[in-house]
Amino acid sequence: MKAEIIGNVQGFKQHDGILTIKTAEAEARVYIYSPTIIRINISKQHRETDESFAVIHQPLADFDFDESSAYIDIITSALKLRIHKSPLRFNFFTNTGKPLSADDERYGTIWQGERVITYRKIYEDEKFIGLGEKAGDLNRRGSSYTNWNTDAVDYTPKTDPLYKTFPFFIGLHSGLTYGLFFDNTHKSYFDFGASTDEQMSWFGADGGDMNYYFFGAQGVAQIIEDYTWLTGRMEMPPLWSLGYQQCRWSYMSADEVLNIAKTFRVKQIPADVIYCDIDYMDGFKIFTWNKKTFPKPKKMMDELKQMGFKLATIVDPGIKIEEGYTQYNEGVAKGYFATYPDGENYTGYVWPGRCHFPDFFREDVREWWGAAFTALTDPGVEGFWNDMNEPAVWNQNIPWMVKFGDKYLPEVRNAYGMEMARATYDGTRKILGNKRPFVLTRAAYAGTQRYSAIWTGDNNGTDEHLLFGQRLVNSLGITGMSFVGVDIGGFSGNPTPELMVRWNSLGTYTPMFRNHAIQGSKMREPWEWGEAYEQIIKKDIEQRYKMLPYIYSGFYQSAQTGMPLSRTLAIDYTNNEHIFDTRFQNQFMFGDALLVVPVISTELTADVYLPEGSWYRFGSDQIYEGGQIVNVPSPLTDLPVFVKAGGIIPMQGIVQNTNEAGDGVLYIHVWNGGEPNSFVYYEDDGTSYDYEQGGYYKRGISFDPARKMVSLSAVEGGFKSRFASIKFVLHGFEKVQLKDDVVENLTEEIAIEF
Ligand code: MIG
């Protein structure tokens, strides 16, 4: 297979907002999406349509460029793209001329057969973060990766690929930042200087275009904001899905489901969600219920509702081949399944046995799929868990000739899971009317945040996985996925009681807090670990519920700006070398104010790196100076969590589920500090889309040490807060007495002096 280099520019023209550049081998198209976002699409043969699963915005209609004998320069208010003509190379600079990222001078873009690769210069001090759910360390320098959505049973912290594809990374060098999103759903590759000398990194795919979006904003947070502008942001999740979720493969009957739910209430351990894994179905047939074990789904749902529980049910893509089964008959009759090239339906084995697979790339198929959810929504289900959508079949090897519409498997496999989640979201949203569905998916592609939460698949009940799982959550946050969970306790294996306790403490600070376990494992519910440990887990879950006002406001931030709830320290402390140290790389900010340190179950003290500034231990208010490594106690009863000085955390009293009113008080906690700080508090009804029509309650909370004041701005939005009064709780202030620490929750501005 010969290597075909891109060659020299032979001509160019601009029309309809596209700068088209021709070489002997290929045609490159340049588009501008915003002053900080430029797209390059290089192809030997451009398709007629320009489609993307991920991108939801259009390029600008027009832009200027300058031409000289050697270059074409495009300059925006933030960026300069210098296009070298001989040979064709794309080099990005800040608008003040600092180099951000450049093609490798020698090689640039090259094809080998259908495979297309772009080789790029690597800077001496360059670090790389991103790619979402990927093995290895926070800094991906020296590693290489493949994107090919895979049912990664028994994965380890070294396994690649895993379930999802997020071909987006951020490069950090010379105190500068840039991002690059390679929007191509073929099997793709990233090499961050793994197998080359000190001069090159590269990325490419088995087919399709060299199609990437370059982000030149300065600051990791700004790049995430731009990336999620381009690929979309999550919408507000249902509040109940932020409560504690209890899952298992499987609760085998309605009685068992109800019993588990009852036990939570009897033991007064807060919880909102319980799951049905595959055994609720009749012979694993999607959109059916097992008539023996779940004879009256509606009755079960009503009882769950009475107890303040929501149910989420699993839904796999594989449709059982069985005459008389509605989804099979309809799918065959209408030609809704993936096929072999001659049109015969592709057959693969999964749980139900021989199955066909819906072609979720087609709108009519997605609509058909979405409408079938009435089998679950009629009895009252509001949570929809999409599994096995890599897609997984036994032995994992779907033939490459299998077709989805006019595309073959290798072209679109990486987007299948996302399109299933999209069908699920669109369909259930339509059925549920003004109620928010909760969708959870295992496989995903860039942009999935618009439809669904995700979890990291079949992890293992080990300390190593606890740490690795946190790294995955933090990394997924960089790629627009804020609503992320791991199986608390580890899916396979049996965690020790100590590990279970530790993992629940971390679950408190995980965007989606779900306990789940493989079939055949020991039971995992909070009361399975002995009285002493049950009490610790209960406290952790109570803490989760107390923090829901803060967490919900954090999700509002994700919905507005794309900023994830769990943030690698590389977002706020990008240029601090310590945070990439493998000893500290799993630490993260949870929202604006909290720094959380994952600690394994066998360590009862921890070395923690606290970035610059002052930090309070959450809970004890002990103060630490940052900019150093500190050794702190980490007993099983107290995961090391720190509040940044000036931190603002709105909390509520303990409730048993998110429907409960509680004591009606919003507790606004503020930790003293030298710098002013502010926080956007957001609330709405937690269940409907009324917030899109102004049905929310939003106000700024600010802390001003110079004026000795904590204040609340006037209320924005038409929703009436569920809290009747507000209580201020000040931490780290010497002998300070609030003049008026409990106030009625009025809508006007409130200022409290201290
Ligand atoms: O072949 O539905 O990752 O969470 O419990 C295994 C059974 C299929 C894999 C999921 C896991 C789920 C399990 N599923």
Side-chain angles (χ1 to χ4, degrees):
M1 203 186 326
K2 119 173 176 281
E4 295 165 294
I5 58 171
I6 192 162
N8 297 336
V9 174
Q10 296 181 331
F12 64 93
K13 65 171 194 278
Q14 193 191 33
H15 63 99
D16 299 337
I18 309 172
L19 179 67
T20 303
I21 304 167
K22 277 209 174 344
T23 70
E25 290 294 340
E27 187 180 290
R29 296 179 180 176
V30 182
Y31 306 73
I32 304 206
Y33 282 69
S34 82
T36 48
I37 307 175
I38 297 179
R39 174 184 176 199
I40 310 290
N41 187 3
I42 311 172
S43 182
K44 290 202 282 187
Q45 204 167 17
H46 280 281
R47 285 160 291 134
E48 300 225 322
T49 52
D50 182 25
E51 293 162 337
S52 168
F53 298 106
V55 172
I56 58 167
H57 281 280
Q58 295 300 317
L60 303 181
D62 196 19
F63 58 85
D64 294 329
F65 62 89
D66 298 320
E67 198 218 346
S68 60
S69 56
Y71 313 118
I72 303 167
D73 287 335
I74 297 173
I75 297 175
T76 73
S77 58
L79 281 181
K80 172 171 147 184
L81 166 60
R82 164 152 286 187
I83 303 168
H84 288 244
K85 289 181 178 169
S86 303
L88 177 57
R89 298 285 183 264
F90 295 93
N91 298 343
F92 295 88
F93 302 82
T94 64
N95 146 298
T96 55
K98 293 179 190 153
L100 285 173
S101 170
D103 278 342
D104 180 272
E105 278 173 39
R106 300 159 296 175
Y107 304 113
T109 297
I110 288 186
W111 288 264
Q112 287 173 275
E114 290 294 308
R115 186 171 280 172
V116 60
I117 307 274
T118 288
Y119 294 91
R120 289 181 88 82
K121 177 182 164 72
I122 203 167
Y123 296 83
E124 205 180 322
D125 68 335
E126 190 161 6
K127 296 186 181 73
F128 300 89
I129 57 174
L131 294 193
E133 188 187 70
K134 284 292 173 194
D137 294 321
L138 169 61
N139 178 9
R140 305 208 177 280
R141 174 86 182 236
S143 303
S144 64
Y145 298 94
T146 301
N147 289 310
W148 184 245
N149 289 3
T150 299
D151 179 1
V153 178
D154 286 331
Y155 72 82
T156 75
K158 293 196 167 129
T159 305
D160 182 69
L162 297 175
Y163 305 87
K164 305 172 182 70
T165 294
F166 292 98
F168 170 63
F169 71 85
I170 296 176
L172 313 168
H173 70 85
S174 325
L176 302 168
T177 57
Y178 72 88
L180 196 146
F181 169 42
F182 177 41
D183 190 10
N184 179 319
T185 56
H186 290 70
K187 191 182 233 179
S188 60
Y189 308 89
F190 287 81
D191 183 304
F192 299 110
S195 327
T196 52
D197 56 20
E198 285 302 302
Q199 298 177 42
M200 271 198 306
S201 67
W202 56 269
F203 58 91
D206 277 357
D209 297 349
M210 175 44 63
N211 177 36
Y212 66 85
Y213 295 79
F214 184 86
F215 300 89
Q218 289 311 299
V220 174
Q222 286 72 13
I223 291 175
I224 294 173
E225 187 164 352
D226 274 355
Y227 169 76
T228 55
W229 172 81
L230 189 72
T231 62
R233 299 187 179 124
M234 68 181 291
E235 55 179 41
M236 286 308 292
L239 179 59
W240 55 263
S241 66
L242 308 183
Y244 177 81
Q245 308 190 357
Q246 185 64 53
C247 189
R248 176 172 187 83
W249 177 15
S250 302
Y251 296 126
M252 295 302 291
S253 66
D255 288 343
E256 191 178 7
V257 169
L258 290 168
N259 250 324
I260 296 284
K262 262 176 224 151
T263 310
F264 275 98
R265 296 303 178 238
V266 169
K267 291 188 169 283
Q268 300 249 299
I269 299 172
D272 265 83
V273 191
I274 191 156
Y275 279 71
C276 282
D277 204 327
I278 49 177
D279 297 286
Y280 77 93
M281 291 179 270
D282 169 21
F284 305 123
K285 279 177 288 188
I286 313 304
F287 306 121
T288 68
W289 295 85
N290 183 312
K291 292 199 177 60
K292 280 208 192 100
T293 50
F294 290 83
K296 293 185 177 135
K298 174 83 167 60
K299 183 162 171 276
M300 172 184 78
M301 294 296 312
D302 290 346
E303 282 181 49
L304 284 174
K305 198 173 170 194
Q306 284 280 312
M307 289 189 273
F309 269 94
K310 299 281 187 187
L311 186 75
T313 50
I314 201 167
V315 168
D316 292 348
I319 294 295
K320 185 179 174 73
I321 299 179
E322 184 185 284
E323 244 340 296
Y325 165 39
T326 312
Q327 270 64 41
Y328 169 75
N329 284 4
E330 288 181 5
V332 168
K334 301 202 165 129
Y336 283 164
F337 297 127
T339 62
Y340 289 113
D342 66 357
E344 184 193 334
N345 290 324
Y346 161 67
T347 300
Y349 280 83
V350 234
W351 287 108
R354 302 175 76 237
C355 286
H356 294 327
F357 296 82
D359 179 358
F360 291 114
F361 297 99
R362 282 167 50 187
E363 200 181 332
D364 52 350
V365 178
R366 288 197 300 273
E367 271 180 20
W368 167 71
W369 181 262
F373 277 92
T374 48
L376 301 170
T377 54
D378 281 352
V381 179
E382 291 174 39
F384 312 96
W385 174 21
N386 288 189
D387 188 21
M388 306 293 274
N389 52 355
E390 291 68 32
V393 291
W394 299 155
N395 302 322
Q396 307 256 13
N397 222 6
I398 300 178
W400 286 15
M401 65 175 162
V402 169
K403 289 186 83 176
F404 297 87
D406 58 351
K407 304 238 169 52
Y408 292 90
L409 176 94
E411 301 172 76
V412 289
R413 178 182 176 96
N414 286 339
Y416 186 82
M418 173 177 180
E419 292 301 285
M420 178 182 177
R422 175 184 177 190
T424 304
Y425 167 79
D426 285 344
T428 55
R429 174 153 185 190
K430 211 182 264 173
I431 298 170
L432 292 175
N434 196 25
K435 250 190 225 167
R436 302 176 203 169
F438 166 64
V439 181
L440 177 64
T441 179
R442 191 170 72 176
Y445 181 72
T448 299
Q449 66 270 15
R450 304 197 297 269
Y451 311 117
S452 183
I454 53 174
W455 94 105
T456 60
D458 299 346
N459 62 350
N460 216 289
T462 62
D463 281 302
E464 193 189 26
H465 269 271
L466 174 143
L467 297 179
F468 178 50
Q470 190 58 52
R471 211 141 69 240
L472 293 179
V473 171
N474 299 347
S475 177
L476 283 159
I478 297 169
T479 52
M481 299 301 313
S482 181
F483 201 5
V484 184
V486 304
D487 288 353
I488 297 295
F491 177 69
S492 37
N494 288 304
T496 62
E498 290 75 19
L499 176 56
M500 196 60 198
V501 166
R502 192 61 112 195
W503 219 327
N504 270 283
S505 304
L506 193 55
T508 307
Y509 306 99
T510 302
M512 189 186 84
F513 186 1
R514 187 181 76 148
N515 172 320
H516 181 43
I518 192 172
Q519 67 175 356
S521 60
K522 291 191 193 141
M523 298 302 279
R524 287 281 175 82
E525 295 70 22
W527 49 85
E528 296 288 343
W529 308 94
E531 177 62 23
Y533 287 151
E534 177 182 327
Q535 288 315 313
I536 305 174
I537 295 173
K538 176 174 171 166
K539 266 201 136 164
D540 282 326
I541 298 176
E542 287 174 349
Q543 176 69 7
R544 169 75 174 200
Y545 278 79
K546 287 195 210 165
M547 297 212 318
L548 282 177
Y550 174 74
I551 292 172
Y552 199 65
S553 298
F555 275 110
Y556 177 70
Q557 225 180 345
S558 303
Q560 293 296 305
T561 69
M563 181 57 83
L565 201 62
S566 293
R567 307 171 189 167
T568 159
L569 297 185
I571 298 179
D572 285 352
Y573 303 98
T574 314
N575 296 317
N576 187 328
E577 288 289 329
H578 290 92
I579 62 144
F580 296 98
D581 185 321
T582 51
R583 288 175 298 166
F584 310 121
Q585 65 174 345
N586 305 317
Q587 295 181 193
F588 63 103
M589 296 298 293
F590 188 67
D592 292 342
L594 290 175
L595 184 146
V596 181
V597 184
V599 180
I600 60 173
S601 63
T602 52
E603 301 274 355
L604 301 179
T605 63
D607 280 336
V608 174
Y609 177 73
L610 293 173
E612 53 273 16
S614 304
W615 301 85
Y616 295 84
R617 181 102 183 214
F618 198 27
S620 75
D621 283 348
Q622 184 177 346
I623 193 158
Y624 294 87
E625 273 322 300
Q628 59 170 339
I629 300 166
V630 293
N631 186 270
V632 301
S634 61
L636 289 176
T637 48
D638 191 15
L639 186 75
V641 177
F642 299 85
V643 187
K644 202 172 170 175
I648 298 168
I649 304 186
M651 295 181 36
Q652 65 182 13
I654 296 170
V655 289
Q656 295 304 309
N657 65 75
T658 56
N659 284 316
E660 278 190 1
D663 63 8
V665 183
L666 180 68
Y667 299 86
I668 297 180
H669 293 256
V670 181
W671 280 260
N672 200 4
E675 301 289 321
N677 191 23
S678 61
F679 182 88
V680 177
Y681 176 75
Y682 177 87
E683 200 189 317
D684 59 27
D685 64 18
T687 57
S688 81
Y689 288 93
D690 291 355
Y691 70 92
E692 289 176 345
Q693 265 72 53
Y696 56 85
Y697 170 101
K698 180 171 138 184
R699 65 202 310 185
I701 307 174
S702 25
F703 162 66
D704 186 341
R707 288 170 61 217
K708 291 182 165 293
M709 215 172 252
V710 179
S711 53
L712 286 172
S713 67
V715 174
E716 227 184 273
F719 181 73
K720 187 166 180 299
S721 172
R722 73 175 68 89
F723 300 103
S725 61
I726 293 172
K727 183 174 162 61
F728 293 91
V729 188
L730 300 189
H731 302 258
F733 293 77
E734 264 172 53
K735 291 197 218 117
V736 166
Q737 272 231 300
L738 279 179
K739 296 202 182 96
D740 198 6
D741 69 337
V742 183
V743 295
E744 208 185 320
N745 190 355
L746 304 167
T747 52
E748 302 93 65
E749 182 174 337
I750 304 168
I752 301 289
E753 284 175 58
F754 55 81

